[in-house]
């Protein structure tokens, strides 16, 4: 094990293993099979890359996405580990040359697509010395998983052909049936299952609901300004929204692009490439974006609409903070989303399952207990305590007796014979005087203007709460009109009390949370998995240094033709800005600095740090 730890530092610049990495690696080295389940960013790659370095021969890594392979090959090469990817896009001459090099044992790792593997089985792979076979995104083999790929189905052949080569299957998503199915389909020999916690404590969680479009866009702008120069992804349900938000951001001086299936492949590639290389900060995307990019320094994810289920939501927010540094996530949710998602679920052919998943997603959004607990619980994990890093924990809701508000709303709803939706209910309460309201004679109602004292958005929030508490329900089949429920009637007739949570401005929530976070950062105990890194304060000398380090990283990345995060991850730069290493030896102690990077970049980085701190 000690030797492995030394190799980890030498090649990857890390001092210690993440949870389960060492156990999985040990198993591979003993030439035994395993299935490793780790969340995105959990550090799956090291589980096969390190044994590949340690064992004689070449590790064969099966991966479905060319972009991901390329990325990993670049990263390995930069760390002095010879690696290559064999893919069908290469001209035959080049492939031939690569095969020869493989036979000479030039590579420690060879990445290959599942089809490629099947093609090369009889000739190339039969002749190579294979140290281990890693099957990435292994859930693609299972029809139970959400991402079945037919070309994965034939991978059982691997174990038949190479019974003595250890196979390690890896995935970030697999429920119980899928897990068993993976081990079964791959015909693994006596496999050991490794499951690491799905918790991502470095991701903050927050939900804002019921904002109208204008307020939502304003909140997004504030959020992004607060995350100046940081990479982020904004997910929208509709293509038009990706374009609208991207153009709004652009007019506000934020470098952003849209990404959706309606764009040409070259436009999409351009957006992805610009994002990976930090030429743009924000991608506004439909869900099509994110698969197959490994960018470790995505600092935030916003959901412009509510996702249809928790699996998708978790996978999407999981694209932030792979490097273990603090990252923020924010979800906007409205009744409109819900109506649309219900329709999708109904039309999906798997009505019941999808509707149930949608309900669970909605409950997550509406909860007043720690959101992380709900997420972990959903994935079958027990959270021992509240997380302290979600909006509910940071700002527990404050309750008050809202019976009168419920009575006002319900009486408006009942006096109009339950024929009105949320908008009209509020307009009646606030005496808006809009045309159709007057035409219908709603201004004659006793409740007209009974809720003038509260702004529109506050009423909206309280109506959401009434829905959530079951005083009111939505008739989806009938133009989303509101209906009074039996428990709502009880409140109306004074037989029960309604407890609501005080409305707070989203801005206020954000600010209060930030203040509290700053205070807590000083006393917060070490985060469970990633090493805690102190966050650098805005406008501090450290931030000036960090900016300079980023610029240097970008210059080097351009020169070497790789994405900046492959030169150094964000956490390495942060550590440099904090520790300010003034010698090569001190520089070598920074996380992510292996031997090759010390040699290659030590001098320039130390020189820059000396220059900035004036020594
Ligand atoms: P996954 O494939 O599970 O999504 P990766 O293998 O891409 O995750 O690793 C996520 C990030 O964590 C990468 O930036 C990687 O360099 C970093 N990492 C992995 N193992 C360690 C470790 N032992 N110590 C520090 N950082 C690590
Ligand atoms: Zn919490």
């Amino acid at each position: 094990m000690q030797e492995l730890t030394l190799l980890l530092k030498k090649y990857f610049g890390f001092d210690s293993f993440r949870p389960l990495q060492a156990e999985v690696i040990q198993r591979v080295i003993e030439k035994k099979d395993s299935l490793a389940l780790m969340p995105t960013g959990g550090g799956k790659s090291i589980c096969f890359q390190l044994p590949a370095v340690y064992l004689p021969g070449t590790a064969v890594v099966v991966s479905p996405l060319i972009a991901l392979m390329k990325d990993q090959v670049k990263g390995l090469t930069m760390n002095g580990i010879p690696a290559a990817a064999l893919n069908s896009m290469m001209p035959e001459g080049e492939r031939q040359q690569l095969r020869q090099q493989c036979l000479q044992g030039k590579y420690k790792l060879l990445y290959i697509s599942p089809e490629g593997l099947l093609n090369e089985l009889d000739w190339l792979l039969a002749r190579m010395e294979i140290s281990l076979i890693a099957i990435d995104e292994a859930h693609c083999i299972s029809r139970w998983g959400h991402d079945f790929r037919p070309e994965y189905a034939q991978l059982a052949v691997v174990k038949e052909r190479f019974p003595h080569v250890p196979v390690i299957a890896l995935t970030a998503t697999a429920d119980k049936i899928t897990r068993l199915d993976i081990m079964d389909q791959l015909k693994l020999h006596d496999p050991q299952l490794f499951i690491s916690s799905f918790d991502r404590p470095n991701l903050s969680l927050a939900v804002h609901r019921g904002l109208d479009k204008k307020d939502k866009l304003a909140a997004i702008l504030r959020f992004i300004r607060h995350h100046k120069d940081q990479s982020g992804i904004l997910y929208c349900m509709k293509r038009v929204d990706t374009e609208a938000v991207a153009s709004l951001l652009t007019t506000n001086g934020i470098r952003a692009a849209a990404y959706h299936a309606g764009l040409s492949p070259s436009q999409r590639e351009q957006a992805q490439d610009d994002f990976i290389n930090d030429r743009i900060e924000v991608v506004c995307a439909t869900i099509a974006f994110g698969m197959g990019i490994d960018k470790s320094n995505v600092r935030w994810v916003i959901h412009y609409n509510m996702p249809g289920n928790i699996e998708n939501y978790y996978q999407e927010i999981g694209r932030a903070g792979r490097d273990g540094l603090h990252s923020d996530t924010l979800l906007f949710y409205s009744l409109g989303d819900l109506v649309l998602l219900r329709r999708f679920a109904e039309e999906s052919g798997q009505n019941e399952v999808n509707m149930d998943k949608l309900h669970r997603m909605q409950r997550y959004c509406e909860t007043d207990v720690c959101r992380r607990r709900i997420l972990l619980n959903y994935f079958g994990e027990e959270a021992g305590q509240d997380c302290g890093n979600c909006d509910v924990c940071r700002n527990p809701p404050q309750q008050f007796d809202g019976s009168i508000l419920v009575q006002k709303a319900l009486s408006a709803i009942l006096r109009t014979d339950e024929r009105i939706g949320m908008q009209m209910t509020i307009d009646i309460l606030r005496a808006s005087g809009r045309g159709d309201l007057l035409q219908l004679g709603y201004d004659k109602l006793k409740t007209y203007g009974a809720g003038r004292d509260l702004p529109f958005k506050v009423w909206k929030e309280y109506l959401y709460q009434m829905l959530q508490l079951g005083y009111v329900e939505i008739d989806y089949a009938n133009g989303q009109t509101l209906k009074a429920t039996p428990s709502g009637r009880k409140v109306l007739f004074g037989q029960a009390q309604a407890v609501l949570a005080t409305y707070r401005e989203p801005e206020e929530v954000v600010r209060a949370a930030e203040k509290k976070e700053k205070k807590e950062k000083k006393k917060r105990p070490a985060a469970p998995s990633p090493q805690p890194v102190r966050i650098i304060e805005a406008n501090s000398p450290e931030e000036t240094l960090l900016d300079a380090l980023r610029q240097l990283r970008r210059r080097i990345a351009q020169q070497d033709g790789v994405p900046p995060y492959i030169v150094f991850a964000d956490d390495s730069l942060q550590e440099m800005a904090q520790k300010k290493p003034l010698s090569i030896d001190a520089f070598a102690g920074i996380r992510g600095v292996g031997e090759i990077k010390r040699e290659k970049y030590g001098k320039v980085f130390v020189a820059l740090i000396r220059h900035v701190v004036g020594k």
Side-chain angles (χ1 to χ4, degrees):
M1 219 0 83
Q2 209 181 355
E3 195 183 346
L4 291 171
T5 313
L6 288 175
L7 288 177
L8 184 69
K9 179 64 196 166
K10 175 173 171 183
Y11 286 102
F12 298 95
F14 305 140
D15 292 321
S16 57
F17 288 105
R18 292 247 183 98
L20 285 189
Q21 281 179 335
E23 291 85 339
V24 178
I25 291 168
Q26 193 63 41
R27 178 96 184 157
V28 178
I29 287 175
E30 287 167 8
K31 306 250 168 198
K32 293 181 182 151
D33 294 350
S34 42
L35 168 60
L37 260 81
M38 291 184 178
T40 311
K44 284 185 283 300
S45 319
I46 296 282
C47 296
F48 56 84
Q49 290 174 344
L50 198 71
V53 173
Y54 178 83
L55 294 169
T58 305
V60 173
V61 183
V62 182
S63 167
L65 301 154
I66 293 181
L68 234 148
M69 292 192 210
K70 280 191 192 157
D71 223 39
Q72 293 223 344
V73 168
K74 275 182 197 159
L76 287 163
T77 312
M78 297 281 276
N79 280 325
I81 302 167
L86 186 65
N87 71 60
S88 49
M89 312 292 268
M90 288 161 96
E92 181 54 33
E94 220 172 285
R95 250 189 292 178
Q96 200 48 39
Q97 196 184 353
L98 184 57
R99 287 195 192 99
Q100 285 308 324
Q101 292 169 334
C102 289
L103 290 183
Q104 292 158 7
K106 273 191 73 173
Y107 298 110
K108 291 310 293 178
L109 294 105
L110 176 67
Y111 285 77
I112 194 163
S113 65
E115 311 86 290
L117 178 118
L118 298 171
N119 285 337
E120 302 292 340
L121 214 51
D122 290 328
W123 198 84
L124 178 63
L125 298 179
R127 286 171 174 74
M128 276 170 64
E129 185 190 359
I130 301 178
S131 57
L132 67 101
I133 297 172
I135 300 181
D136 208 2
E137 312 288 350
H139 60 276
C140 294
I141 199 173
S142 173
R143 284 167 213 273
W144 304 108
H146 56 80
D147 193 18
F148 172 66
R149 288 169 186 248
E151 62 281 16
Y152 261 68
Q154 297 173 53
L155 288 178
V157 71
V158 162
K159 212 55 221 186
E160 284 162 20
R161 286 295 181 88
F162 309 103
H164 303 299
V165 175
V167 170
I168 167 175
L170 308 112
T171 173
T173 48
D175 52 33
K176 266 194 194 143
I177 339 175
T178 316
R179 273 175 220 165
L180 294 175
D181 201 29
I182 294 172
M183 297 191 280
D184 203 40
Q185 301 244 6
L186 285 174
K187 301 210 162 59
L188 299 186
H189 294 170
D190 184 24
Q192 185 166 346
L193 176 62
F194 295 94
I195 306 178
S196 76
S197 166
F198 269 61
D199 194 8
R200 301 281 309 278
N202 60 317
L203 301 184
S204 77
L205 306 169
V207 177
H208 288 177
R209 69 174 161 195
L211 296 190
D212 63 20
K213 197 163 170 188
K214 200 173 107 259
D215 285 341
K216 186 153 102 175
L217 290 172
I220 289 172
L221 270 177
R222 274 198 308 267
F223 179 98
I224 295 179
R225 289 211 174 102
H226 186 76
H227 291 79
K228 189 173 134 295
D229 289 332
Q230 296 181 350
S231 300
I233 307 174
L234 187 138
Y235 286 110
C236 303
M237 198 149 43
K238 299 189 209 136
R239 292 177 189 178
V240 285
D241 288 335
T242 63
E243 296 189 355
V245 179
S247 92
L248 172 86
L249 295 181
T250 311
T251 21
N252 280 277
I254 297 159
R255 289 167 296 148
Y259 184 102
H260 58 72
L263 297 174
S264 71
S266 70
Q267 283 171 312
R268 283 203 305 256
E269 202 166 311
Q270 179 75 44
Q272 175 162 326
D273 211 53
D274 284 347
F275 186 60
I276 288 177
N277 290 295
D278 292 350
R279 287 190 294 266
I280 56 175
E281 301 146 53
V282 182
V283 170
C284 303
T286 51
I287 41 160
F289 184 77
M291 259 299 263
I293 64 163
D294 229 348
K295 187 172 165 67
S296 69
N297 63 336
V298 176
R299 289 273 71 86
W300 57 263
V301 167
I302 291 180
H303 280 90
Y304 190 77
N305 308 100
M306 182 169 94
N309 59 55
I310 290 187
E311 283 92 344
N312 284 350
Y313 169 66
Y314 205 56
Q315 195 170 38
E316 283 155 15
I317 60 171
R319 296 195 175 119
R322 277 167 172 254
D323 52 15
L325 291 189
H326 179 88
S327 307
D328 290 313
T329 77
L330 175 57
L331 184 162
F332 291 97
Y333 140 60
S334 75
L335 215 54
D337 298 344
L338 203 58
V339 170
L340 206 58
L341 287 166
R342 284 178 66 98
R343 213 173 61 225
F344 291 157
E346 269 162 12
E347 290 166 359
S348 70
Q350 276 188 300
N351 189 337
E352 227 167 277
V353 179
N354 288 334
M355 207 57 120
D356 183 55
K357 285 186 185 250
L358 179 58
H359 274 308
R360 307 236 359 211
M361 184 72 227
Q362 189 185 350
R363 279 219 295 278
Y364 167 81
C365 292
E366 293 177 344
T367 182
D368 51 10
V369 302
C370 172
R371 291 192 205 277
R372 199 169 317 264
R373 287 193 124 165
I374 296 187
L375 286 180
L376 291 178
N377 198 293
Y378 185 84
F379 292 110
E381 263 181 62
E382 188 111 351
Q385 57 192 43
D386 288 355
C387 77
N389 196 18
C390 74
D391 50 351
V392 180
C393 282
R394 286 188 302 229
N395 248 346
Q398 283 176 7
Q399 298 181 323
F400 69 101
D401 181 354
S403 305
I404 294 187
L405 297 181
V406 176
Q407 288 163 1
K408 285 180 181 171
L410 281 185
S411 92
I413 291 166
L414 286 170
R415 280 170 204 274
T416 52
D417 297 325
E418 303 183 311
R419 276 193 299 226
I420 58 174
M422 193 180 270
Q423 175 90 25
M424 180 62 91
T425 307
I426 302 175
D427 283 341
I428 293 174
L429 290 167
R430 302 193 63 249
S432 94
R434 68 187 229 210
D436 52 344
L437 185 156
L438 300 179
Q439 234 164 35
L440 288 160
Y442 290 162
D443 56 327
K444 310 275 177 336
L445 298 177
K446 231 177 123 187
T447 356
Y448 188 69
R452 263 201 190 89
D453 50 328
L454 296 180
F456 189 89
K457 59 185 173 188
V458 177
W459 265 115
K460 200 159 160 192
E461 163 64 23
Y462 289 147
L463 277 172
Y464 270 93
Q465 290 190 29
M466 292 176 208
L467 278 167
Q468 185 183 336
L469 293 166
Y471 299 132
V472 182
E473 62 189 8
I474 296 181
D475 188 349
Y476 286 100
N478 241 326
Q480 290 102 49
T481 48
L482 300 179
K483 306 267 173 271
T485 63
S487 62
R489 285 169 199 262
K490 273 196 188 153
V491 178
L492 180 61
F493 300 124
Q495 293 152 350
Q497 194 200 39
V499 177
L500 301 182
T502 313
Y503 174 85
R504 266 173 302 182
E505 290 288 339
E507 167 102 9
E508 206 181 307
V509 177
V510 174
R511 264 208 233 110
E514 279 162 9
K515 231 191 270 162
K516 199 160 170 198
E517 202 174 331
K518 257 193 195 154
K519 241 191 267 161
E520 265 168 19
K521 211 142 271 147
K522 289 177 190 142
K523 58 177 186 198
R524 192 186 294 172
S529 69
Q531 287 101 316
V533 178
R534 199 157 45 89
I535 300 286
I536 289 180
E537 308 235 345
N539 304 322
S540 61
E542 284 176 351
E543 196 189 48
T544 314
L545 177 54
L546 187 60
D547 275 343
L549 290 167
R550 277 208 201 102
Q551 277 171 29
L552 177 59
R553 174 174 72 170
R554 195 165 353 195
R555 263 209 314 280
I556 291 175
Q558 249 161 17
Q559 259 166 30
D560 291 358
V562 294
Y565 63 86
I566 285 191
V567 176
F568 280 121
D570 277 12
D571 54 351
S572 301
L573 292 198
Q574 290 225 1
E575 208 177 307
M576 288 176 209
Q578 280 154 357
K579 295 196 174 152
K580 306 179 187 62
L582 297 175
S583 67
I584 303 282
D585 275 350
F587 185 74
I590 300 289
R591 180 148 47 130
V593 180
E595 271 180 15
I596 298 276
K597 288 187 179 168
R598 185 192 63 197
E599 289 306 311
K600 209 166 158 193
Y601 304 129
K603 259 196 193 150
V604 274
F605 275 88
V606 168
L608 175 76
I609 295 166
R610 281 176 171 270
H611 175 75
V612 175
V613 301
K615 279 192 185 151

